[in-house]
Amino acid sequence: MATLPSASRWSSSTAWPRRAAGAASTALAAAVFAVLDVADALLCFVYALLDGILEDSPVRCYCHRSYDDQVDGGDHEHEEVSGTLYARGRRSAVRDAILYLLRHVVGRRGRAPPDETVAPCKWRSPRWSDCACKSCVAWRGGEGEGGGGGGEGGRLHVVVKEPQPYRKDAGRKQSETTTTRDPENAIFVHGFTSSSSFWAETVFRESSSVLHDYRLFAVDLLGFGRSPKPANCKYRVRDHVEAIERSLGEPPQSLMSGSGSFHLVAHSMGCIIALALAAKHPTRVKSITLVAPPYFLACEQKQASQVALNRLAEKKLWPPLLFGSAVMSWYEHVGRTVCLVVCKNHLLWEWLFSLFTGNNTGVDFRVRDLTKHTHHSAWHTMHNVICGGAALQDTNLEAVAAAGIPVQAVHGADDQVVPVECSRHLKAKLPRAKLRVNVMDRRDHATVVLGRERDFAEELKAFWVWGSATPSTKRRFRGC
């Protein structure tokens, strides 16, 4: 009687436990997300009741609205709004059944009136479920630190690092002679649930001897950090781009007027906004550096927003970051509850975190940034920029390529948030782009920059010099 080779016997004996473990994991995930479906449907009615009591003009949720109705109604403001905002784009049989049952039991009482009742020309914040501390509403009072301000004009909070004299040796007196040429400008755009601190607390601080002759701007995107967080804004790609234009297009920066030009550096979600900004101002952009860009194949653009949601917020329990993304992206009301507990009480959590860690200087900027937004701004930005913006990227990339703007992409090989394949797809779309993929071994979505700030600054400067070089010089260094 023939016997299986030892390797085959081992493979056969371990195959069924792996399949069983996979099936158990899938079943557990299905059960967890089914519970979240029920919770989200119940919370829909809870928040409708509370908003109706606590707000004069409640902002209606997306459970009972249809994307098709908005488009058929001729709502031009609905352009660039992602279908994933609506329950139909995040369909769940369990959730639909609960909502159908509750609608017939409770009726339409408690449902908030349409958000069109909110005057679109007047930004409003905070809502009752948002934080109203001095830091979170500073944008309503005029100019803020770093030129951020806000008020009705909607100017973003901007951190500016002016050019500094070069200092080779910390023990020697700094030279009083600054660079003789006009400094070049660079705009840094952060990613989702982050802020200008991602750049200002890292690259700006660690690169004084590298980027000393550049003027650096790090913006807090609309709805994040110390920038305005209006409760009646859709936070589309165009809204973010226009906010950057308002904030950097007027004195003292004036980057969008006259002969102003700049380099662009963006991380994660910020890459989508940076490409849209570059496509709108192709003659002003000198180079683009994309760090962990969320880009998907052009053949998937028919349902680009749904593809992005399924890829970046897949319904899985592991890793924890992916589970958190799924909860905050698929469940409007569960996500709002998380923000009510965490973001509205961020000062308490920061104090507890400092007490637990024994750090009296304050919490790490990455922890602080996770709470410096509202649910409305994060929810809409997630769907209208990360998901809805996926359908715009090919058009913007074509405009960038036509303008001959130098582009490079940097990606961590161990990135579990944005798949490293996204940069490979980008390379296929822009075959002449200077691309660094899989070079950043043992680097993930954040550590592709954090922990190697000086190296990253040196890479930026080398690319900026290369992008500003003459065509003959570029050909000589094309292989670097």
Side-chain angles (χ1 to χ4, degrees):
M1 180 177 177
T3 59
L4 290 172
S6 59
S8 299
R9 287 199 303 271
W10 182 86
S11 177
S12 299
S13 64
T14 58
W16 73 266
R18 290 198 303 269
R19 288 196 295 268
S25 176
T26 301
L28 179 61
V32 170
F33 285 106
V35 171
L36 290 172
D37 287 330
V38 175
D40 199 66
L42 294 173
L43 287 170
C44 173
F45 285 82
V46 171
Y47 280 117
L49 177 62
L50 292 175
D51 289 346
I53 296 173
L54 300 174
E55 295 182 354
D56 293 332
S57 301
V59 179
R60 192 171 144 205
C61 72
Y62 287 92
C63 298
H64 310 287
R65 286 191 282 177
S66 168
Y67 177 83
D68 295 331
D69 291 343
Q70 296 284 344
V71 175
D72 293 342
D75 184 2
H76 297 294
E77 288 297 313
H78 214 67
E79 295 178 6
E80 299 182 18
V81 172
S82 173
T84 60
L85 270 173
Y86 301 88
R88 183 177 179 181
R90 300 171 281 110
R91 176 149 290 176
S92 164
V94 174
R95 187 176 181 280
D96 289 348
I98 296 295
L99 283 173
Y100 179 83
L101 177 63
L102 289 176
R103 275 200 297 267
H104 283 73
V105 172
V106 181
R108 295 181 179 270
R109 291 173 300 172
R111 281 180 54 185
D115 57 353
E116 287 76 13
T117 59
V118 180
C121 60
K122 184 178 181 181
W123 283 6
R124 43 171 282 178
S125 181
R127 302 181 70 185
W128 69 268
S129 55
D130 298 334
C131 180
C133 74
K134 182 178 179 181
S135 174
C136 289
V137 298
W139 60 272
R140 302 175 66 192
E143 294 298 322
E145 296 177 9
E152 298 300 328
R155 291 174 66 91
L156 303 178
H157 176 75
V158 183
V159 177
V160 183
K161 182 184 178 186
E162 294 290 347
Q164 298 293 327
Y166 180 51
R167 187 177 181 180
K168 289 185 177 181
D169 189 342
R172 300 165 72 180
K173 184 178 180 181
Q174 188 171 349
S175 172
E176 296 180 358
T177 304
T178 60
T179 179
T180 56
R181 65 179 179 85
D182 292 335
E184 296 184 16
N185 302 303
I187 301 174
F188 289 74
V189 186
H190 64 80
F192 190 59
T193 61
S194 186
S195 77
S196 56
S197 298
F198 183 85
W199 303 111
E201 297 290 337
T202 57
V203 176
F204 284 22
R205 285 190 172 185
E206 301 296 331
S207 61
S208 296
S209 61
V210 180
L211 303 177
H212 62 93
D213 51 352
Y214 291 86
R215 182 177 290 111
L216 310 180
F217 301 86
V219 299
D220 281 351
L221 289 174
L222 188 66
F224 297 90
R226 293 178 60 87
S227 284
K229 304 173 181 66
N232 58 334
C233 175
K234 293 186 173 71
Y235 292 92
R236 301 160 299 180
V237 173
R238 69 166 71 175
D239 295 320
H240 287 283
V241 170
E242 289 172 358
I244 294 175
E245 290 173 331
R246 285 194 300 270
S247 305
L248 299 180
E250 300 175 1
Q253 287 83 22
S254 302
L255 297 184
M256 309 292 175
S257 60
S259 58
S261 62
F262 49 87
H263 300 277
L264 275 172
V265 183
H267 176 243
S268 191
M269 177 201 74
C271 298
I272 300 173
I273 298 171
L275 286 172
L277 182 65
K280 191 172 181 179
H281 301 277
T283 59
R284 299 187 184 279
V285 180
K286 306 185 74 170
S287 75
I288 307 173
T289 298
L290 306 175
V291 184
Y295 175 76
F296 299 96
L297 288 173
C299 63
E300 299 179 59
Q301 293 301 304
K302 183 178 180 180
Q303 298 177 342
S305 60
Q306 196 68 51
V307 170
L309 179 63
N310 291 332
R311 291 290 301 276
L312 300 176
E314 189 176 1
K315 288 186 174 182
K316 286 186 175 181
L317 301 180
W318 194 264
L321 189 60
L322 184 59
F323 174 68
S325 298
V327 171
M328 300 301 291
S329 302
W330 288 84
Y331 301 102
E332 180 177 3
H333 304 289
V334 173
R336 185 178 178 185
T337 303
V338 173
C339 289
L340 175 62
V341 174
V342 177
C343 298
K344 184 177 177 64
N345 302 289
H346 69 91
L347 293 178
L348 172 63
W349 295 114
E350 290 174 11
W351 177 77
L352 290 174
F353 186 85
S354 300
L355 185 66
F356 179 76
T357 59
N359 185 358
N360 296 325
T361 61
V363 300
D364 185 271
F365 72 88
R366 288 168 289 184
V367 176
R368 185 178 65 248
D369 285 349
L370 285 174
T371 67
K372 298 294 286 184
H373 59 82
T374 65
H375 173 255
H376 185 86
S377 66
W379 174 261
H380 285 77
T381 298
M382 168 64 196
H383 287 280
N384 287 341
V385 175
I386 298 179
C387 297
L392 307 174
Q393 291 213 70
D394 275 354
T395 301
N396 292 334
L397 284 169
E398 289 169 1
V400 167
I405 303 172
V407 180
Q408 72 167 339
V410 183
H411 220 124
D414 297 334
D415 194 330
Q416 293 185 334
V417 178
V418 177
V420 71
E421 288 78 11
C422 288
S423 284
R424 297 195 181 107
H425 299 332
L426 186 68
K427 178 65 175 177
K429 182 68 179 180
L430 296 175
R432 293 189 177 184
K434 185 180 178 69
L435 192 65
R436 293 184 177 94
V437 182
N438 288 331
V439 176
M440 303 295 113
D441 293 331
R442 297 183 297 278
R443 296 289 176 177
D444 59 25
H445 194 65
T447 58
V448 69
V449 174
L450 305 182
R452 55 181 300 271
E453 292 87 352
R454 185 180 180 85
D455 291 341
F456 183 79
E458 290 175 347
E459 292 166 7
L460 279 181
K461 185 170 185 177
F463 181 66
W464 292 348
V465 171
W466 179 86
S468 301
T470 62
S472 59
T473 305
K474 287 185 178 182
R475 285 194 296 270
R476 191 187 319 162
F477 293 100
R478 189 175 297 277
C480 63

